[in-house]
Amino acid sequence: MDSLALQERLVERLLSPRTQAQRSHPAKLKDHEKQYVGFATLPNQVHRKSVKKGFDFTLMVAGESGLGKSTLVNSLFLTDLYKDRKLLNAEERINQTVEIVKHTVDIEEKGVKLKLTIVDTPGFGDAVNNTECWKPITDYIDQQFEQYFRDESGLNRKNIQDNRVHCCLYFISPFGHGLRPVDVEFMKALHEKVNIVPLIAKADCLIPSEIRKLKERIREEIDKFGIKVYQFPECDSDEDEEFKQQDRELKESAPFAVIGSNTVVEAKGQRVRGRLYPWGIVEVENQAHCDFVKLRNMLIRTHMHDLKDVTCDVHYENYRAQCIQQMTSKLTQDNRIESPIPILPLPTPDTETEKLIKMKDEEPAQECLQVKMNSGILFLSLLGFLPLVIPTCPPPCKCATSIIDCMSKGLTVAKLPVAFRPSAEIINLSYNRLTSIPSGLFDNLQSLQAVHLQGNPWECNCDILYLRSWLQWQQNRTLYRDVRCASPAHLQDRVIAYLTEDEIISMCQYWYCTLALYSQLVLVILLFLQAILVVFIIVYLRRYQRMTAEARSTTRDLNQHADTWSLQEQ
């Protein structure tokens, strides 16, 4: 909501010279109108349309009972979402199973409407045996993805209701020594489906030094178990220092240690929301007492839109890719697509529907014709009349009309196909052993929309420059946030699209220096061997000359003795 205000101020600044010119120089108004186009008002148009349409946000809260989930949600949005909640006794909790309870409320602030949906999970972690207690939660998230996919694939796409879970606040008990096994298993089951923001609940139970130690322990265990929690996006270089400092503080504060309270108490002559204890007052909105303000700023004021973007561009796209892969596998098995999404009965087909059915019926004939054309192109390519192309599906991948699926094929850079067919729209290279992408591999694919690259051990050295450049040219970089460096150590787990050129060139310079050193060493060795060879040749030539001279001397002596013997015989 602050970003909208910033956009308004930005437009005002853009328009202020024009306004001042109108006031101070009325005679020059016509000349200025000729130079003014008007596209500077585009942010105003987007602002008006967005405010008129309103916003929606779905937040899930999970954690064992008694950690203050309901109180924190009410504190965040200054509303009471749990008016009719019934507290269960101990006997009822024993038989309670994990439920999914939705609370929807419309909030309006300064003319901006927000449809907030809170998804609560009562019963989670309260049973004696918590085996797969997270299964109803993962099923619910998948159901929302499935519903959105069904609506998106339907005929009426105008009024699609987005019920996908954009963020999950997971409450961690402050009374343990880190993450419990159920915490680890829950986050590992959900980290590929939703943005997880871990919270340390009831932080007023700990002193500041204990909070710091618990945060460090939780961060270490998250890295140890490979849990992917929500990562704050990197700041752009043109951001102001205040925003960069705020971003650094948010990253350093995770996981947030929070306190919730709906009670207003009086502290130092002021009425604040907090908790009253015999030893003093804990203020909810005092940053020296807890991270509630930082969580609220992150969740509502600075990163709400990014949470929705990551949900749409990463988690939902992964689900959508899996559905498309299932369709592709069905296509390769029986040459027909059986959608995993249940299709609703349609009314009597109209003219447009009949055209679509006719196009579908003609697809086999078109595919047969395409195969013949590809064979002819390959034959002409072999004869040298046309440049060599790759019209067929590159092994060991599976291909559909516009999808090339190479997921989990054990591909390395050496085994990667040298080219893909130009009609490819989606290429899945995830979960292989790729360390880099050959230069120019994606350049000639005009129809390419997305490439799935996650799950590969990328080596961020000189060979990664092409992949980094290609990722930075993509309009939607959030789709590639899981494409991260595996090595070297100082760049490990960094998003490749956000690497600076200097960080990679420094590795290149080290590599070239090493190569230059080896080249000079080899050159010195070659010169030394050449010098030894020259000395050997010189010694051999001198020895040959000496032997030749001795042979000539011996020949002369033999000739003289032969003449002497012949004279004596006469």
Side-chain angles (χ1 to χ4, degrees):
M1 286 180 279
D2 282 358
S3 61
L4 297 175
L6 289 174
Q7 288 180 358
E8 290 181 347
R9 289 201 295 269
L10 178 61
V11 173
E12 291 174 1
R13 291 179 183 177
L14 289 171
L15 299 179
S16 59
R18 177 173 179 267
T19 306
Q20 293 175 2
Q22 291 177 0
R23 294 176 180 175
S24 58
H25 303 284
K28 298 182 180 180
L29 179 60
K30 293 183 178 180
D31 295 337
H32 193 79
E33 286 288 346
K34 293 179 180 179
Q35 299 177 359
Y36 176 73
V37 178
F39 57 82
T41 61
L42 283 174
N44 269 345
Q45 300 175 32
V46 175
H47 174 261
R48 285 196 300 271
K49 186 176 179 180
S50 300
V51 170
K52 183 178 179 181
K53 182 180 179 182
F55 302 89
D56 50 39
F57 188 73
T58 302
L59 177 68
M60 174 180 282
V61 290
E64 65 180 22
S65 301
L67 292 181
K69 301 188 295 295
S70 306
T71 305
L72 182 70
V73 171
N74 291 338
S75 302
L76 282 172
F77 298 99
L78 297 178
T79 184
D80 189 3
L81 295 173
Y82 301 91
K83 297 178 181 178
D84 302 327
R85 186 179 63 164
K86 178 183 177 182
L87 297 178
L88 303 179
N89 55 37
E91 184 178 355
E92 291 173 333
R93 287 185 182 180
I94 293 175
N95 300 322
Q96 186 186 18
T97 57
V98 180
E99 299 177 4
I100 303 296
V101 180
K102 290 175 59 176
H103 302 273
T104 303
V105 62
D106 294 325
I107 305 175
E108 185 172 352
E109 182 182 52
K110 296 183 179 180
V112 178
K113 298 178 181 179
L114 174 66
K115 181 182 178 182
L116 175 66
T117 302
I118 303 296
V119 181
D120 202 353
T121 57
F124 172 79
D126 293 341
V128 177
N129 183 6
N130 290 313
T131 304
E132 293 190 349
C133 60
W134 53 85
K135 192 71 168 58
I137 301 174
T138 57
D139 291 343
Y140 175 80
I141 296 174
D142 288 337
Q143 287 171 7
Q144 304 313 308
F145 281 155
E146 179 181 340
Q147 181 65 40
Y148 191 86
F149 187 31
R150 184 190 296 115
D151 295 341
E152 192 181 43
S153 305
L155 297 178
N156 184 14
R157 302 176 57 185
K158 271 189 176 181
N159 301 316
I160 298 179
Q161 188 173 0
D162 187 7
N163 290 322
R164 296 171 296 181
V165 180
H166 302 120
C167 179
C168 175
L169 298 181
Y170 186 71
F171 288 72
I172 300 171
S173 174
F175 308 115
H177 298 284
L179 298 178
R180 301 174 303 162
V182 67
D183 300 333
V184 175
E185 294 300 327
F186 174 85
M187 289 192 280
K188 289 177 70 174
L190 267 72
H191 66 171
E192 297 287 355
K193 302 175 182 293
V194 69
N195 300 307
I196 299 178
V197 178
L199 305 178
I200 300 176
K202 294 191 173 182
D204 49 344
C205 299
L206 304 173
I207 62 176
S209 60
E210 291 175 336
I211 292 177
R212 287 193 296 269
K213 290 180 181 178
L214 184 57
K215 284 186 175 184
E216 293 175 0
R217 181 67 180 272
I218 292 175
R219 283 194 288 261
E220 291 174 359
E221 291 181 344
I222 286 175
D223 294 337
K224 175 183 176 182
F225 293 107
I227 300 171
K228 299 177 183 177
V229 297
Y230 173 68
Q231 298 291 329
F232 297 101
E234 298 291 336
C235 292
D236 295 332
S237 57
D238 57 347
E239 296 286 355
D240 55 6
E241 289 299 326
E242 182 179 356
F243 184 82
K244 291 181 179 179
Q245 178 64 26
Q246 183 181 3
D247 185 72
R248 284 193 295 267
E249 291 178 358
L250 287 177
K251 292 179 180 178
E252 293 171 358
S253 299
F256 300 107
V258 294
I259 304 169
S261 175
N262 298 323
T263 305
V264 177
V265 297
E266 186 172 348
K268 298 180 181 179
Q270 297 180 351
R271 296 178 62 81
V272 295
R273 283 189 301 142
R275 291 182 174 274
L276 181 63
Y277 292 100
W279 44 264
I281 297 175
V282 178
E283 301 178 22
V284 172
E285 297 181 348
N286 189 337
Q287 297 192 37
H289 293 176
C290 67
D291 299 328
F292 174 83
V293 175
K294 295 177 181 177
L295 173 64
R296 183 181 62 189
N297 291 340
M298 183 278 295
L299 195 61
I300 303 175
R301 301 183 181 181
T302 59
H303 289 78
M304 177 180 283
H305 202 277
D306 186 70
L307 287 165
K308 298 180 66 174
D309 285 344
V310 175
T311 301
C312 180
D313 300 334
V314 179
H315 301 303
Y316 173 69
E317 281 299 320
N318 290 338
Y319 175 84
R320 182 172 174 270
Q322 291 176 2
C323 290
I324 294 174
Q325 184 182 0
Q326 292 177 12
M327 296 178 184
T328 307
S329 61
K330 291 287 184 182
L331 177 64
T332 55
Q333 289 175 5
D334 52 11
N335 293 326
R336 62 189 179 87
I337 298 179
E338 294 180 1
S339 174
I341 306 303
I343 305 298
L344 299 177
L346 298 177
T348 304
D350 54 6
T351 306
E352 293 294 328
T353 307
E354 291 179 353
K355 289 182 180 179
L356 290 175
I357 295 174
K358 186 176 180 181
M359 291 174 61
K360 288 293 182 181
D361 292 336
E362 293 175 354
E363 280 185 359
Q366 293 178 358
E367 290 179 0
C368 182
L369 179 61
Q370 183 68 27
V371 170
K372 294 180 179 179
M373 291 178 61
N374 290 340
S375 302
I377 292 173
L378 182 59
F379 178 72
L380 292 175
S381 301
L382 294 175
L383 291 179
F385 292 102
L386 291 174
L388 184 64
V389 295
I390 308 294
T392 57
C393 183
C397 304
K398 297 179 181 179
C399 300
T401 305
S402 58
I403 302 171
I404 299 177
D405 183 15
C406 304
M407 185 177 72
S408 301
K409 300 297 183 183
L411 294 177
T412 61
V413 179
K415 297 180 181 179
L416 192 66
V418 295
F420 297 101
R421 55 186 179 188
S423 62
E425 296 181 1
I426 298 175
I427 300 176
N428 192 349
L429 297 174
S430 57
Y431 301 103
N432 286 290
R433 291 180 290 170
L434 298 175
T435 57
S436 63
I437 295 294
S439 181
L441 183 61
F442 304 140
D443 291 348
N444 296 323
L445 305 179
Q446 302 297 331
S447 303
L448 188 62
Q449 297 179 4
V451 180
H452 298 281
L453 299 166
Q454 65 271 17
N456 287 290
W458 303 107
E459 294 181 2
C460 294
N461 51 24
C462 283
D463 297 332
I464 211 70
L465 282 173
Y466 169 73
L467 178 59
R468 169 188 170 273
S469 176
W470 184 84
L471 291 175
Q472 289 188 337
W473 275 100
Q474 303 309 301
Q475 294 182 353
N476 192 358
R477 293 190 198 174
T478 55
L479 184 61
Y480 302 99
R481 284 189 174 180
D482 289 338
V483 185
R484 299 171 179 269
C485 299
S487 62
H490 69 283
L491 295 178
Q492 189 173 7
D493 207 34
R494 289 282 303 278
V495 180
I496 295 178
Y498 297 121
L499 289 177
T500 62
E501 191 172 350
D502 293 337
E503 290 174 324
I504 302 178
I505 290 179
S506 63
M507 299 297 299
C508 297
Q509 290 174 346
Y510 174 80
W511 180 75
Y512 282 127
C513 290
T514 305
L515 180 62
L517 179 62
Y518 288 155
S519 301
Q520 292 178 1
L521 184 60
V522 171
L523 181 61
V524 170
I525 294 174
L526 289 176
L527 290 175
F528 180 72
L529 293 176
Q530 188 176 7
I532 293 176
L533 182 60
V534 170
V535 171
F536 177 77
I537 292 174
I538 293 174
V539 171
Y540 179 78
L541 289 176
R542 288 185 178 180
R543 183 179 178 185
Y544 179 77
Q545 290 176 353
R546 187 170 63 252
M547 292 175 63
T548 304
E550 291 178 354
R552 288 175 180 174
S553 175
T554 305
T555 304
R556 285 196 301 270
D557 291 343
L558 290 175
N559 289 334
Q560 290 177 1
H561 287 299
D563 293 340
T564 304
W565 292 337
S566 60
L567 290 174
Q568 288 177 358
E569 289 177 357
Q570 292 178 357

